[in-house]
């Protein structure tokens, strides 16, 4: 096995878009908490900002700092700042010590906490509002990994750009590979194609055999965890209910939605699944908006690995390919919008009208996106949906869309249609 399959050191470091957000938060908060899936690069990126690094996943270091926390020793928070506590959730007492220290000193940019799992709930733990700022770090977007030309910018589209151009270098088989490989930094720098795809499968094995139990100390069955993850993967990019997912779990390994919910909560705490919330705009009509979130993984490679699907398998199953491609696009859009201080939602109403992504800025600007593998028929269908949605939104009570976009996999060029809808290959997009 390649030595760097699980390592992305500073020598091989690829700059991340989230760095600008970390910089911004360190200037405005005493402590920044960076959360995200294991292996997404949190520690490596955070170390670039820290003057002292405490790795709590090392047993000897954990024992030392646990003792300091238990007795309230001042050395717990000693050292040049910012101090990084890596995998801080292993020592949740740190939260209140850091919060109190920030209250006493009023210093900004003093601490960085990274964690691959949400800490066990503690109702007595202070919220940290005004002192501690959280952000989610995801795996790498195609722009970060150098697999998007970046010729089309979301920032420019929100700023009113009407003319775009770009040339897509990817064929469908390339997208299938990028989807199965995922945005894991170690996989991105791995030159061996088979090994790079295998990383996501290693991640899933670790997840179901160890992580789903360690996250909250509730013992869970690996066979059951695998079956649930596979069922969730089959329903990715849909609004499938828990009962629907339950019926899709193979071999009847669970009998009720309560058990299913326990496993899904564990996956969410581990930043494995990241559902996309529904958008509720002001409409001209009294159309009922569906409020169910859309099922997504934090990285599409997790879904592919759960389904044991190779790039060739996806090429032979375009329906599954399309659903997982939407997940890839939502991952990238969330990364790009984070850098623009915006959010990503989905839209679907009772009439069946939908948009795969609503990109919403804090100033009220928004854009709508439909995701399609490509081809004239699918692009026309996506554009029709987007134009219908734009007409439904009450522009007297909220802003008209800044842009409408069909995001594709394999179309050769980025361009603006006569009806004003942009067609952009994912391999041409950036924030």
């Amino acid at each position: 096995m390649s030595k760097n399959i699980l390592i992305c050191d500073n020598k091989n470091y690829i700059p991340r878009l989230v760095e600008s957000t970390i910089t911004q938060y360190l200037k405005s908060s005493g402590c920044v908490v960076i959360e995200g899936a294991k292996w997404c690069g949190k520690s490596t990126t955070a170390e670039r900002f820290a003057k002292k690094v405490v790795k709590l996943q090392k047993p000897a270091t954990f024992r030392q700092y646990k003792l300091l926390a238990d007795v309230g020793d001042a050395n717990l928070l000693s050292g040049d700042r910012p101090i990084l506590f890596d995998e801080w959730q292993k020592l949740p007492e740190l939260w209140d010590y850091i919060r109190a220290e920030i209250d006493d000193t009023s210093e900004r940019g003093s601490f960085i906490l990274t964690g691959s799992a949400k800490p066990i709930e503690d109702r007595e733990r202070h919220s940290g509002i005004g002192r501690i700022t959280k952000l989610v770090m995801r795996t790498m977007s195609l722009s970060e990994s150098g697999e998007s030309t970046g010729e089309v910018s979301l920032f420019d589209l929100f700023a009113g750009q009407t003319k775009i151009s770009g040339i897509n270098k990817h064929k469908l088989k390339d997208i299938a590979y990028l989807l199965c490989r995922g945005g894991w930094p170690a996989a991105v720098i791995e030159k061996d194609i088979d090994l790079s795809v295998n990383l996501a499968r290693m991640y899933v094995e670790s997840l179901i055999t160890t992580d789903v139990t360690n996250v909250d100390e509730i013992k869970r069955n690996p066979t059951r965890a695998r079956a649930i993850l596979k069922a969730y993967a089959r329903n990715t990019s849909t609004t499938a209910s828990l009962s629907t997912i339950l019926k899709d779990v193979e071999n009847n390994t669970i009998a009720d939605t309560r058990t299913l919910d326990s496993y899904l909560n564990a996956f969410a705490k581990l930043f494995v699944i990241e559902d996309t919330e529904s958008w509720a705009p002001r409409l001209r009509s009294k159309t009922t908006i569906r409020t169910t979130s859309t099922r997504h993984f934090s990285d599409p490679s997790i879904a592919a690995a759960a389904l044991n699907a190779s790039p060739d398998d996806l090429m032979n199953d375009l329906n599954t390919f399309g659903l997982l491609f939407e997940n890839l696009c939502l991952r990238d859009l969330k990364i790009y919008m984070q850098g623009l201080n915006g959010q990503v939602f989905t839209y679907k109403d009772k009439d069946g009208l939908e948009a795969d992504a609503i990109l919403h800025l804090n100033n009220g600007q928004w854009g709508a996106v439909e995701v399609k593998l490509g081809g004239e028929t699918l692009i026309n269908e996506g554009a029709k949906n987007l134009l219908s949605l734009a007409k439904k939104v009450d522009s007297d009570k909220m802003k008209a869309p800044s842009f409408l976009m069909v995001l594709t996999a394999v179309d050769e060029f980025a361009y603006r249609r006569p009806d004003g809808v942009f067609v952009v290959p994912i391999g041409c997009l950036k924030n």
Side-chain angles (χ1 to χ4, degrees), residues 138-152:
R138 300 175 175 88
T139 55
M140 300 182 80
S141 64
L142 296 186
S143 175
E144 291 169 291
S145 63
E147 285 146 334
S148 170
T149 64
E151 293 167 282
V152 180

Side-chain angles (χ1 to χ4, degrees), residues 237-253:
S237 301
T238 75
T239 55
S241 64
L242 287 182
S243 59
T244 298
I245 297 173
L246 183 63
K247 292 177 183 177
D248 206 19
V249 176
E250 294 179 345
N251 304 320
N252 297 317
T253 55

Side-chain angles (χ1 to χ4, degrees), residues 3 54 101 118 126 207 225 316 322-323 366 381 387 399 414:
K3 290 182 179 179
V54 180
E101 176 72 4
K118 295 183 183 295
H126 193 281
L207 172 69
N316 293 320
L323 295 173
W366 63 279
E381 176 187 306
L387 291 167
K399 295 181 180 181

Side-chain angles (χ1 to χ4, degrees), residues 313-348:
D313 292 329
L314 293 179
M315 293 291 290
N316 293 320
D317 182 355
L318 292 183
N319 182 57
T320 300
F321 194 165
L323 295 173
L324 270 59
F325 175 64
E326 179 184 321
N327 199 149
L328 181 150
C329 292
L330 267 290
R331 176 203 66 188
D332 281 16
L333 290 172
K334 289 175 182 177
I335 293 170
Y336 299 154
M337 288 300 291
Q338 183 180 49
L340 300 177
N341 293 316
Q343 294 177 282
V344 179
F345 302 93
T346 60
Y347 175 87
K348 187 173 184 179

